[in-house]
């Protein structure tokens, strides 16, 4: 624990962001717009670290015909600032496609297009980010017996840099989930790496794929592999009778409204559970109805023609895999009869979802100051600030991992623009005044080097 000696301390940032995915790109944009309004002396100083060498968002799932499941108006800025220069519409204008998009009469862009929008927006604020830097430590800095600052250590190759902050904003995204005991390999994939792994099959003529899961990603994987490998059989394994449609009706979509976050946050625990049970089918283990219809139509057509390449092993579970190097055996058990079927396949793809990273894994000794609820989850205030001991004066804000306190939108794009505005307001409201009337120091984004 550092005592924060002033002689060798790095400049203090108002905010350091860990991760630079869509949520923290939106945070950087909100900061940039704020700083443009208020001028240099009242600017919020900030820096972000991203371990990837460049911006990337679920690149392994950028299937050419996959569309977004949220309106383009739920971009990084519009719900917070409809006149922003960082909006999806401004992006379209810069690419020369605004009129074409309007004529398309579609609220849901291609996923590859929205990723390009994210890259475009990230590039406009890339003076705030160090790519290729992984945060390896967060250390508390004591002053007068309290933790006044946090030292964030990031590593890039052999170089290590230390930046000091009054606040952290953690936006490290989600981690792929694999079933217990199953390891990823050249033949056993998680859907997050689909497109990268498919490239390794060039020159190979696969005969069978097995896809596990019943959600949107699983269905997209099935459709893509069936189209990409016209000679291969694609077997979908799930415990339901069929894919369940996502409820994207107008009333149900109110669960993603900013006001729904307020209601969820203040609701009693039993009501929170009920709301998740009622509206989980807006987001979890559900599939767009158009894709369901397309897959059923294809399966029926193949049955009529007697060339069935698309197989659905429903009411079943994949109970084991055996990776033999050149092939993989998938063991599928019927939930009704208990009968086991062995599928000899080239690849097994697990579309088994994601989980948020526990911020405690990054915070090190700082985590000891963070409060948890009776279920061991981090306590989070309405402004997304982690509840901490009073001697920790720094703010730790979460962009994700707050579903238990803020509802379904915790890690989704629907409220990103609003959320970053609320975090910025919280930081500004708690910001210390300059000491003895001195101007605020302007951090140069370099930090100290070890």
């Amino acid at each position: 624990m550092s005592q924060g000696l002033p002689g060798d301390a790095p400049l203090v940032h108002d905010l350091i962001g860990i991760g630079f995915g869509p949520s923290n790109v939106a945070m950087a944009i909100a900061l940039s717009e704020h700083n443009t309004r208020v001028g240099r002396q009242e600017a919020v100083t900030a820096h972000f670290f991203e371990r990837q060498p460049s911006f990337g968002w679920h690149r392994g799932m950028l299937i050419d015909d996959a569309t977004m499941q949220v309106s383009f108006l739920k971009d990084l800025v519009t719900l917070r600032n409809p006149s922003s220069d960082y909006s999806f519409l401004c992006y379209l204008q810069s690419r020369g496609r605004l009129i074409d998009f309007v004529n398309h009469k579609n609220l849901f862009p291609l996923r590859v297009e929205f990723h390009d929008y994210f890259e475009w927006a990230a590039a406009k604020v890339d003076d705030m980010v160090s790519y290729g830097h992984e945060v390896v430590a967060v250390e508390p800095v004591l002053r007068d017996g309290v933790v006044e600052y946090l030292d964030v250590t990031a590593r890039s190759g052999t170089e290590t840099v230390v930046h000091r902050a009054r606040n952290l904003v953690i936006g490290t995204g989600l981690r792929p989930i694999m079933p217990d005991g199953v390891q990823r390999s050249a033949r056993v994939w998680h859907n997050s790496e689909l497109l990268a792994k498919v490239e390794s099959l060039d020159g190979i003529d696969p005969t069978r794929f097995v896809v596990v899961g019943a959600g949107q990603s699983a269905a997209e994987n099935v459709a893509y592999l069936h189209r990409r490998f016209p000679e291969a059989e694609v077997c979908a394994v799930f415990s339901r009778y069929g894919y369940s449609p996502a409820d994207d009706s107008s009333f149900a979509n109110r669960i993603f409204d900013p006001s729904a976050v307020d209601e969820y946050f203040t609701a009693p625990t039993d009501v929170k559970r009920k709301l998740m049970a009622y509206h989980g089918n807006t987001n979890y283990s559900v599939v767009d109805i158009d894709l369901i219809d397309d897959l059923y139509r294809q399966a029926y057509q193949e049955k009529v023609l007697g060339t069935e390449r698309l197989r659905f092993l429903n009411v079943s579970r994949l109970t084991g895999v055996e990776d033999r190097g050149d092939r993989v055996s998938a063991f599928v058990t019927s939930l009704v009869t208990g009968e086991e079927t062995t599928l000899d396949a080239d690849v097994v793809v697990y579309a088994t979802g994601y989980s948020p990273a526990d911020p405690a894994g990054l915070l090190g000794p700082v985590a000891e100051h963070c409060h948890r609820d009776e279920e061991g989850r981090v306590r989070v205030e309405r402004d997304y600030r982690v509840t901490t001991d009073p001697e920790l004066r720094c703010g730790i804000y979460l962009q994700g991992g707050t579903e238990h306190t803020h509802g379904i939108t915790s890690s989704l794009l629907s409220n990103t623009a609003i959320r970053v505005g609320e975090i910025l307001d919280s930081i500004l409201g708690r910001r210390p005044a300059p000491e003895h009337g001195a101007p605020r120091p302007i951090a140069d984004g370099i930090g100290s080097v070890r």
Side-chain angles (χ1 to χ4, degrees):
M1 182 176 293
S2 172
Q3 295 298 318
L5 298 176
D8 61 359
L11 290 173
V12 178
H13 297 279
D14 291 305
L15 179 158
I16 285 180
I18 303 177
F20 205 60
S23 291
N24 268 349
V25 171
M27 188 80 244
I29 291 170
L31 292 168
S32 179
E33 292 181 332
H34 168 81
N35 291 347
T36 299
R37 288 194 304 270
V38 301
R40 183 174 174 83
Q41 292 304 323
E42 290 300 316
V44 176
T45 57
H47 198 75
F48 295 82
F49 292 110
E50 170 55 53
R51 64 181 178 179
Q52 295 187 102
S54 61
F55 179 86
W57 178 70
H58 297 304
R59 286 187 179 275
M61 283 298 294
L62 296 180
I63 297 170
D64 53 9
D65 64 346
T67 59
M68 297 295 294
Q69 293 176 278
V70 296
S71 164
F72 72 88
L73 293 172
K74 293 185 175 182
D75 58 20
L76 299 175
V77 293
T78 296
L79 295 187
R80 175 181 57 81
N81 178 14
S83 61
S84 173
D85 292 336
Y86 298 85
S87 71
F88 181 71
L89 292 180
C90 287
Y91 154 80
L92 288 173
Q93 179 72 10
S94 74
R95 294 290 196 254
R97 292 200 305 269
L98 179 58
I99 299 301
D100 295 326
F101 184 84
V102 171
N103 289 338
H104 192 34
K105 299 180 182 180
N106 190 1
L107 289 173
F108 306 103
L110 289 169
R111 198 176 296 158
V112 292
E113 183 176 34
F114 224 64
H115 188 278
D116 190 54
Y117 158 64
F118 287 152
E119 289 185 290
W120 171 85
K124 291 166 75 71
V125 289
D126 63 3
D127 58 321
M128 294 189 192
V129 60
S130 293
Y131 287 108
H133 283 69
E134 181 176 8
V135 171
V136 295
V138 176
E139 295 285 341
V141 181
L142 281 173
R143 191 173 81 166
D144 300 327
V146 299
V147 180
E148 192 73 28
Y149 308 114
L150 298 173
D151 276 354
V152 179
T153 302
R155 186 173 297 150
S156 177
T158 59
E159 180 190 49
T160 300
V161 297
V162 181
H163 287 235
R164 182 162 292 178
R166 296 185 179 92
N167 299 279
L168 291 184
V169 178
I170 301 176
T172 50
L174 302 172
R175 302 291 181 266
I177 297 173
M178 295 290 283
D180 290 342
V182 177
Q183 299 296 322
R184 284 190 270 181
S185 69
R187 299 282 176 179
V188 179
W189 307 347
H190 186 272
N191 70 276
S192 60
E193 54 191 350
L194 177 72
L195 295 186
K197 290 287 192 180
V198 158
E199 295 302 317
S200 68
L201 299 179
D202 282 350
I204 300 173
D205 294 321
T207 58
R208 178 181 284 158
F209 293 91
V210 176
V211 179
V212 185
Q216 180 73 21
S217 293
E220 288 177 358
N221 278 225
V222 168
Y224 171 77
L225 292 170
H226 185 267
R227 180 177 73 250
R228 173 75 169 73
F229 298 98
E231 303 301 320
E233 181 181 274
V234 181
C235 301
V237 180
F238 43 77
S239 57
R240 306 180 182 192
Y241 269 94
Y243 297 116
S244 298
D247 184 356
D248 61 352
S249 59
S250 300
F251 285 112
N253 271 344
R254 287 180 171 176
I255 194 68
F256 303 112
D257 289 356
S259 60
V261 177
D262 289 320
E263 293 164 350
Y264 191 93
F265 186 83
T266 57
T269 300
D270 63 323
V271 175
K272 284 185 169 73
R273 292 195 185 101
K274 288 178 181 178
L275 288 172
M276 291 298 291
Y278 291 154
H279 296 291
N281 65 343
T282 58
N283 186 61
Y284 301 112
S285 297
V286 288
V287 181
D288 287 344
I289 188 63
D290 289 345
L291 180 54
I292 294 174
D293 290 343
D294 286 344
L295 287 171
Y296 192 90
R297 186 181 303 111
Q298 182 66 47
Y300 184 77
Q301 177 180 319
E302 290 182 356
K303 183 171 286 190
V304 170
L305 298 176
T307 56
E308 295 183 58
R309 289 195 303 114
L310 192 55
R311 294 178 56 194
F312 295 96
L313 286 76
N314 60 356
V315 200
S316 298
R317 179 172 296 144
L318 190 66
T319 52
V321 292
E322 181 181 331
D323 189 347
R324 303 197 305 274
D326 59 336
R327 301 285 287 176
V328 59
S329 294
F331 306 106
V332 180
T333 302
S334 167
L335 298 180
V336 176
T337 65
E339 179 183 358
E340 184 175 271
T341 301
T342 301
L343 298 175
D344 186 47
D346 295 271
V347 172
V348 174
V349 182
Y350 282 91
T352 43
Y354 300 82
S355 66
D358 187 343
L362 283 172
L363 295 177
V366 179
E368 299 173 7
H369 297 278
C370 299
H371 296 181
R372 293 183 178 267
D373 63 18
E374 58 279 359
E375 297 183 34
R377 302 169 299 191
V378 173
R379 292 189 182 274
V380 188
E381 299 169 23
R382 174 59 187 85
D383 57 2
Y384 300 94
R385 181 179 170 123
V386 174
T387 305
T388 62
D389 297 333
E391 58 266 28
L392 180 66
R393 292 184 180 174
C394 306
I396 300 171
Y397 294 86
L398 302 183
Q399 297 226 65
T402 58
E403 188 178 85
H404 60 293
T405 52
H406 290 69
I408 272 178
T409 62
S410 172
S411 61
L412 305 180
L413 288 172
S414 292
N415 258 315
T416 296
I418 299 293
R419 181 173 64 246
V420 298
E422 292 174 340
I423 292 173
L424 178 56
D425 287 344
S426 176
I427 290 172
L428 292 172
R430 299 168 183 262
R431 194 181 192 193
E435 296 181 7
H436 309 299
R440 297 186 188 277
I442 305 300
D444 59 12
I446 299 174
S448 65
V449 180
R450 288 181 185 167

